[in-house]
Amino acid sequence: NLSMIDRNPCNVSKHLEFAERAVRSLDRIDRMVIDLLDINRINAQEQIHIDIGECDIEKTIQEAVAELTIIHGSRFVVEAQPSIIGYWDCSSLRRVIENLADNAVKYGAPLGSVTIQAIRMDARVFLKVHNYGEVILPADQIALFDPFHRSKAAETSKARGWGLGLALARGITEAHRGIIMVESVPSQGTTFTVDLPLDARVADVPTPPGATEPDKT
């Protein structure tokens, strides 16, 4: 795009279009570099850095959906309870929502809708991203959140990916002292659930479903 501007210095009417494309491309490159740096931290068993502050989760979802709609069209349904205000890193949670929703589009039913929910229950908030389509097999779910892992369905699909999105989603969730889970059923579709404390500054790390509580004696 920058080369096109350089080659056509007199075509001012097209410069804005080329410049906007260049900016979007640079933004994607910037996000990719950040993702790779965070993956290196995860591989080194380090926690992803987050900046926690007051965050309106519905606003964060709407911002993510606005960006996703530009790329994928109007396929997203937001069902967020109003006035869910907590202490999280808004920009990081937006990355989680974007990664989960992007995967839902790539590997879900073609042209099917993707539902994004935010539900508060007492001192916890649940973000859910749901889509219909081919299920994720239990054998694939075991390593689904590992860096560079791609399920068999993903490998055979036409969708391109590096297998970073879910690993980053888990890393960011765990940095917030939360957990991320997946449920995939043929008749009900696939739902990724991010379980977060309302205040990530002081919360204890929850025990994943099926795990045994540590002996505190």
Side-chain angles (χ1 to χ4, degrees):
N1 285 293
L2 294 174
S3 294
M4 291 297 292
I5 294 174
D6 185 51
R7 293 172 189 171
N8 300 276
C10 297
N11 192 356
V12 179
S13 63
K14 296 291 289 184
H15 286 183
L16 181 60
E17 177 185 346
F18 292 138
E20 288 177 342
R21 289 179 182 175
V23 169
R24 287 198 299 270
S25 295
L26 288 170
D27 285 342
R28 286 195 296 271
I29 291 170
D30 184 55
R31 288 196 295 267
M32 185 181 298
V33 171
I34 292 171
D35 287 350
L36 290 171
L37 289 171
D38 282 341
I39 284 295
N40 281 335
R41 293 187 180 97
I42 292 172
N43 284 335
Q45 297 184 336
E46 298 176 2
Q47 190 177 87
I48 292 177
H49 175 74
I50 58 174
D51 293 312
I52 297 177
E54 189 174 275
C55 178
D56 183 331
I57 198 64
E58 182 184 16
K59 180 180 177 182
T60 301
I61 293 172
Q62 294 290 0
E63 290 173 349
V65 167
E67 180 71 19
L68 290 161
T69 300
I70 294 173
I71 301 170
H72 300 295
S74 302
R75 300 179 56 179
F76 303 95
V77 179
V78 176
E79 298 176 354
Q81 292 178 353
S83 303
I84 300 180
I85 309 295
Y87 284 89
W88 310 292
D89 182 336
C90 276
S91 61
S92 292
L93 289 187
R94 177 174 167 174
R95 289 171 67 193
V96 172
I97 295 164
E98 288 175 345
N99 282 330
L100 294 179
D102 189 63
N103 271 12
V105 171
K106 285 181 179 178
Y107 307 116
L111 304 180
S113 62
V114 174
T115 302
I116 304 173
Q117 296 178 303
I119 304 166
R120 177 178 174 179
M121 296 181 64
D122 299 324
R124 303 203 70 80
V125 172
F126 300 89
L127 300 178
K128 294 177 177 285
V129 177
H130 172 270
N131 66 275
Y132 288 101
E134 188 171 350
V135 300
I136 303 172
L137 299 175
D140 283 327
Q141 293 182 26
I142 296 172
L144 196 61
F145 297 99
D146 292 346
F148 302 105
H149 173 80
R150 301 191 74 205
S151 67
K152 292 181 180 178
E155 290 288 358
T156 57
S157 74
K158 295 181 180 179
R160 297 164 58 188
W162 287 12
L164 298 182
L166 293 180
L168 288 167
R170 181 178 68 176
I172 292 170
T173 300
E174 291 178 351
H176 281 85
R177 300 175 181 268
I179 55 176
I180 186 169
M181 301 162 284
V182 61
E183 182 179 17
S184 194
V185 181
S187 60
Q188 300 176 15
T190 298
T191 303
F192 284 88
T193 301
V194 177
D195 175 355
L196 298 169
L198 191 63
D199 189 343
R201 300 171 299 176
V202 298
D204 293 328
V205 179
T207 302
T212 303
E213 287 279 2
D215 186 356
K216 298 182 179 179
T217 61

